[in-house]
Every structure is written in C-alpha cells, then in structure tokens.
Amino acid sequence: MRFGVLGPLAVWAADGTPVRVPEAKVRLLLAHLLVAEGRPVPVQRLGAALWGERPPGNPGNTLQTKVSALRRVLGRDVVTWQPPGYALRVDAASSDLLDFRARVAAGDRAGALALWRGEPLAEFADEPFAVGFARRLEDERLAVVEDWAQARLAAGQPVSLADEVARHPLRERLRGLHMRALFLAGRQVEALESYAGLRRLLAEEQGLEPGPDLVEVHRELLSHEVARPRTNLPAPVTELLGRADAVRAVRALLGTSRLVTLTGPGGVGKTRLAVATARAVTAADCVWLVELAGLERADRSGRATVTDAVADVLGLREDAAEDPVERLVAAVRGRDVLLVLDNCERLVEPVARLVSDLLRAAPGVRVLATSQEPLGLAAETVWSVPPLDLPDAVRLFAARAAAAAPGFALTPDNADTVAAVCRRLDGLPLALELAATRVRALGVRALLARLDDRFRLLAGGHRDAPARQRTLRAMIDWSWELLTDAERIILRRLSVVVEGCDLAAAEAICGGGDVPPHDVADVLAGLVNRSLVVAPDQTGPARYRLLESVSDYGRERLREAGESAEVRRRHAAHYRSLAERADPGLRGHDQLDWLARLDADTANLRAALDLDPGLAPHLAWYWFLRGRIQEARRHLTGAWQAAFTVLAGHAAQVVEPVDDPRADWFLGYVLSTVGDMATGERHTERAYTQAKARGDDWGMAAALSDRVSQAMHRGDLDRARDAAERAQELFTALGDRWGLLQSSFALGTLAQLLGDYPQATRLHTGGLRLAEELESWPEVSFTLSWLGRVALLTKDFTAARAYHEKARRLAADRGFSPGEMYAETGLALGARQEGDLAEAERILLRIQDWHRQVGFEAGATLVLAERGFVAELRGDVDKALKLQEEGLRLARQTGDPRAVALGQEGLAGARALAGDHEEAARLLGRAAANRLSVGVPLPAAQRYDVDRITAAAREALGADRFERSFAEGLADRDAS
C-alpha cells in the first residue's frame, strides 16, 4: 500500500490502482494516523477526534470496530496496536510525505515537488488537526520551491514563480527569486515592478518596508549586477552508465566539427549523452541547453518558435524593431558558445535554417543537436547513438532496479534473466529504466515473462520525466506522430520481418496499395534517417530491421489497419521463393553466397515455416550444412526426417518407397555414415540411377562419394578410388565445396590405408579449410577426427587427442551424434594405445550404447574389438574371448574383409592369452590373408596389436611351429 496526504487523502495498491476506504469516520481515523507519521496515537485522542463531545455509548468498542474496518482494507499488519493507542506502519516507500522528505534530503527537489497533488488533506479542511498539519506542510513545500528555484537560476535554467508569488505575495525570499528570474529572462521592467508591488502591499497592510535581503536584490537589479551563469546544464541526478567512450568520441568530434548531431531512436539516451558531453567541454565561454520538445510552431515555418526558444535561454530581451536572428547573432558573435539543441526532430527545417545562419555569422558558435533524424546541413557530422551493449545494459538495469527495489542485487541466480530482459529491450536505456521500476512489484523473472505485453507493463515511469518518456508507448507514439502516411504503412508492414531483411524482401512484403514496391527504398531511407529503422551494415548489402519494441508497436498498428494476415502471407511467400532458389544454389559455385543469404534470414525462414510448412524440404540441405539437426527433425517428414533422426542419435523407421530422389540419396548417405552399409548402398544406387537418368551431375557425384565408403567397407579399394576420382571431377566442375570436401576425405582415407600419412594429412587439412569456409560444423567435426586418426598412426598422441577432443565438442554442441561418436572412437583408440585402459573402456561402452540407440549394432565391430583388446591387456581371458568372438561374428555379417581381419587379430590375442598359441597363429594368418585379398596389408603404423600377439605366440611355439600354423591360416582365410 501507498498513502497520500500531499493533496486529498488517497490510498493506492502496489500496482498504482486507487484503494477505496469506505465510511467518513474510517477515513478520518486513517487521516489522524497518517498525520502522526508512524507514531502511536492514544485511544482517547482518537475517540475525541472521531466523536468530539458526543461519544458513543462504548467509545473503546466503537473505535475498535472502526480500526477493524480499516484493517480489512489495509491489512492487519499495517494498522498496529502500540500502547497507548494505534499506529500506521509507514516509510518513504509507502507514504508520499516521507517520500517527499527523503527526496529533498537526497537533493531531488523536482522529484519531491512532483509528489504534490493539491492542498494537504483537503477534505478535512474544517478539522483543526488538518489545518495545522496543512500549514506546516505548506511551509515545508515553499522552502523546497525556493531552494529549487535558486538552484535552477544558479545553473542558468529558466524558472516561473508567478503562481507561487500570487498565492504568497508577502514571502520575501520567494519574491526575490521571482525578481531574479524575470531579470535573467530579459524582463527587467517586470522584475522592478514586482518589487514596487510588494513594497506597496507591505506599506498598506503592515506599515513595513521590504527586508534588507530583498532591498539588496532590488539594488543589484538597478545596477545590473545580477550574476549571469555560464551554463544552464542540469546537474546529473543519476550516474550516466555505459557512455564514457561515447562522451569522449562526441567531445572529440566537437573539436573538429562545429555541428554535431546525435541521432538514434527514442529512448536511446541522446539527451543525456549530449548534456554529459557538453558538461565535459571546458573551452567554451558558455554552454546553453535549449529544449525544443515542447514547442509548437508559432508560424508556418516554425523559425520564430526556434529562434525565440534560443533567445529565451540566452536571456535576450524582445525587441520588435530588431530581426530575431540578428539579435541572436549579435549576442553570440565574438564568443565561444556551445549550443545544445535538444529534440529537434519536430522542427528539423527551422532548426537547420537557424543553425546555418548562426554558424555562418558567428565563428565561435558550435552546435550539439539531438534529433531522431539529421539536420541535413553541409557542415553536419552525424553520430548515431547506439543502444547499450549487453554488459552496460545489465549494469544500468541492475543499478536502477537496486534503487527502485532496495535489496535487489545482480547474482549468479538472476544474471541470465536480467541479461534476457536487457536483450528483449534492445539495450535502450529508457526502456531499461522503465522496466527496473517494476522489479520491486514483480521480480525479474515475472518481468521477463510479461515483456510480451511490454506496452502495458512499462506504463509507469518517473514523475519528473517528460510525458513522452514516462511510458514505452508514449516514447514510440512521439516518433510515430512525426511520420508521413507512407512511412507509417512501411513501418507497420515491416514489423512482420524478424531480425531484419534486405531491400528485395522489404519491397515484396511492404510494397503495395498506397506505396508501390518501387517507392519502398525511398521510404525506408526516410525511416532510417528518423532512427526508426536500423540499417547497421555500411559495407555489404543493406539490411533493415526494427528494434523489438518498435516491432511490437508496428504489429499493433498492423492489426489496427487490418493488414496482418495479408502481410504475413506476403512474408511467407517471399521466403518460400528464397528457399526454392537457394536449394539448387547450395550445390554449386555460389554455395557460400547462398549460405550467407540463408544465414542472414534464418529467423524469417523460421517465421515463414509457421505459416507454410511445405517449404521445409527446400531447407533440408541448408540445415545439414549448418549442423541444425534438431531443427530439421522438427520440420521435415518422411525420408528427410528419418535421416535427421539417425543423425540426432535415435533409431528411425526407414521410409520406403522414397519419392524425393534427393531425400533418397541423403538417407543412404546417413545410413552409410553410421555403418549400415547394406541399407545405405541400396538407397545410394537407386539415387545414382535416378540422377543419371535426369542428367543431375550433383546427384551422381553425391552418390559416387557414398560409393567410396561403401566400397572400402567391402574392401574393394579399386572401386572406391574410381568412385572418388569421378566424384571429384564432377564436384570440381560444379564448384561445390561440400562435394570437394567429400572427395578430399575419400582420397585422404585411401592414402591413409596405403600408409602415405603425409599425403593423407595434406588432403584432410585441405578438407578442413573447405569445411570451415562452408561453416559446415558436422563436416568440420568429421575432418578434425580424420586428422586425429592420422596423428594416431604417426604416434603423435598429443595432437590426436587435441583433434578428437575439438571434434567431439563441436559435434556435441550441435547435437550431431555421429560426429561426436566418431571423435570419441578416436579418443578411445588413443587412450588404449597410451595405456589408459579404464578411460578407453569408459568411452567404448558409451559408443556401444549409442549404436544400440540408433538401431544398428552391426556398426560396433571396431568397438567390440577394442573392448576385447582392453580385456586381453588386463588379463581377463573369458571376457576377451567373448568380446572378440562377438565382434568377429558381426564383422563377417558386414562382408568387409578388413573388419573380419581385425576380428581375427583380436581373437588371436584372446587365444594367445588363453594358452592356445597354435590357434592364435592360424588366426593371424587368416587375418593377413583377408587384408591381402583387398590389396591392403596392414601398414607398419597399425601393427601394434598384431606385432605383440605375434611375438607372444612365436615365443610360446617357437619359430617353426608358429610359421606352420600361420601358413595354415594364410591358406584358408574363411575358416571359422
């Protein structure tokens, strides 16, 4: 609750709504308690105040009834019993009187005076207690008025005291300040007449002369000894946060340019920045702030209005015989003057004409203007005031919230919420300060949740702020009223755009009706000049966006105009067209350009999908290249969705038949990636046949790239190399970087199999550059892992671990589980080779679980072999045999001779550990035969396990027996 006595008795709820206190006696009781300012009022005095000489039969009980009625309205904890009576619990937050005194003590006289609503407790004017109370408060108020007026006059700011003098004509300090104010405003005759009038009044009513202080003021006026201030800049009430660099930058501009205009949207803090900069300018003889926001055009041109406003601030007397501009020029010529012209946007043309005249006629004049649009003069330097960056926005919000809600502080628990509030409010200082005032009632989490209704939420600003800055809506209304009809049409239609758009989109979405598409560019330029549309990039193609608050406002106006459905339809149609054109463009020379275009319009494409889900297949390839796996799963259906589901690490029902050839190929690509070569190859070959029939070179090249891994899986390296070289030729002709990346992988892997590790590293490094150019994070992850595998083969375990860890983090951050598992496989291989068997097993178990989740355990042959090696190295015979036998069984199902060879080598190690060294030797021979069958014997760098198992078996059997058993296996590679 909040209580008001600085005017009629009033009670308000926490949200500012009035609270009705019924019954006259209950209101009188409340008034008495408020006058006591928190002190207890004795029961006897309350009874006498309520009933006087005609008390009820039982005054104590009747008073208790009234107290109960008051408690029902205010709450029991507000009206308390404190012997010998009752008290009202109040403080500066709940009492306008205590708030008034607290503000005065803090130096905020203007804020304190703004709390007054009229005569204190006016409805009780006939009650003796209220008369004395009102008289005391009026004396307090007048003292504050006088201090406020004195401070403003000392700062060179105009003061109007005529109404106060009329009500209190004999108050001499007030009269003296009024006389000084008139004199400094150029109204010297009126100042002297005011003194003469008081002198007559004193003589007639009291037979007295004015006191010595007022006589001294009169003497100063007669001798023109009244000190004129050098500036009228207001003293800062709160610290200017986040603008230190801006003050330095603007101050530097004023050193080289005589006209600097600060532009920016309403609420960005142009005025405060201008005042802070002007305060930092020490070279000027005088600095004058001229506030233009409240001016109305006095003539058709508005020139007289602006000229008079400047003359009033400079204290120039009116002279009908002299040209007003000449009068201004004469006053500033030969002096170093800085004029701060604030809020010029409603009078841009007359301000520009006056400034041009002053700059030409008075070389010592400099002008710092604030406006939502530039003045358009040749001498002008425009400095756009940006919203606060996030750290400074958070600092400002936290500081203002702490002032409004004592006890509030920025903590790790609320920091993310505060940052989200600041982002939603675009870092606009005024919006942040308005939001901070709501923290006391709502807290930051509820505040964030209610920002969707920001105009209702941010509707109660500080009383000492201009009306246009007391609510968020008023701030934007101020700008809206300045717009032409065409500008209003474009601004409201542009509100459907999310996070900006290019000119072509703006023309397609906003053009039509009263504003044809070919006029949109000119209208947008005007809105940019007025700081309502942001076009931040000065180097690339122009993009136009709205601050979020302006966008919300525009959508309200769009609904009022009845255009929402039609403009949203245009928006969806334009972005569907963009996606349709981008789909083939992502597979050729212009791939990077199309990726950049779709990146820039990601938010718009998402908005269009809400209205037109049918555009999703045209974005499937883009989503894959950018690693947006989960987004693709949400929007796609059929084979596309099945493929992305597998990429996300889940089992998926493979859809048959597949109508879309590209989706058919992609499903085969994904299934091959996770190790389901048989199903993947079926899709790949079908896609290749269809692409060839259509003359689709990209489709053929993509299918050939998949053939590489499928052929290598079967050990058919000749077919793999042929497919890789043909794919590279096609992708080179197409200019597709993604395709060239696939070719580099294929050729690099073949070089790796043949033991040419330097060539493999060169090819994979080139592939990494291509993947990074594309910003295709799935491919970057895979390529890093390929480099990690080569590093393992060259025994550079530190580099291998770094490559694989980076690949793992990159894939995990983007929900790309195949890349994450591929990187973890490399980490497991490295951990085992370095002797960290526990870490190796931990990772291998996680990978095996993943294979089960995606529904393809056959892909776990390498995992089982590695787990078997771990068990063998630990001396666990039974576990090693079980794992290696299971792995060999799965390897035979794949049909890949190299996978079978690995299973046989692993089982050989387990047999040797079990003491069956002859069988171990035969298994080693069969493994060698399988590797030779595909023309790729095990390279020296990969013989770590084979060499140690061979050494153990040879030592146990002797050289002759080992060679005989090995030869038996070599002759019969398919034996069980």
Side-chain angles (χ1 to χ4, degrees), residues 117-135:
R117 297 171 288 110
E119 293 295 325
L121 297 179
E123 67 183 277
F124 304 105
D126 295 334
E127 297 285 343
F129 84 96
V131 173
F133 177 73
R135 187 180 300 117

Side-chain angles (χ1 to χ4, degrees), residues 672 681 684-685 688-689 701-714 716 719-720 722-724 726:
S672 299
E681 191 166 8
T684 297
E685 292 307 315
Y688 178 82
T689 301
L704 286 168
S705 289
D706 288 350
R707 272 189 189 173
V708 176
S709 57
Q710 293 159 0
M712 282 195 291
H713 185 73
R714 291 196 307 275
D716 190 347
R719 179 178 169 86
D722 175 68
R726 289 170 61 196

Side-chain angles (χ1 to χ4, degrees), residues 586-587 591 595 598 616-633 636 640 643-644 646-648 665-667 669-670 673 698 706 738-739 741-742 774-780 782 814 816-819:
L586 289 171
R587 295 175 170 84
Q591 189 174 55
L595 281 170
L598 295 183
H618 300 291
L619 293 172
W621 190 236
Y622 167 71
W623 283 326
F624 173 72
L625 290 176
R626 283 293 181 250
R628 296 176 185 169
I629 309 302
Q630 300 300 338
E631 184 171 4
R633 284 186 69 202
L636 291 163
W640 283 116
F644 279 102
V646 172
L647 289 177
W665 164 77
F666 186 65
L667 185 54
Y669 165 79
V670 168
T673 298
W698 191 92
D706 288 350
W738 177 86
L741 170 60
Q742 306 312 300
L774 284 168
E775 297 181 22
S776 180
W777 307 118
E779 301 297 353
V780 171
F782 270 139
R814 286 158 177 81
F816 182 55
S817 63

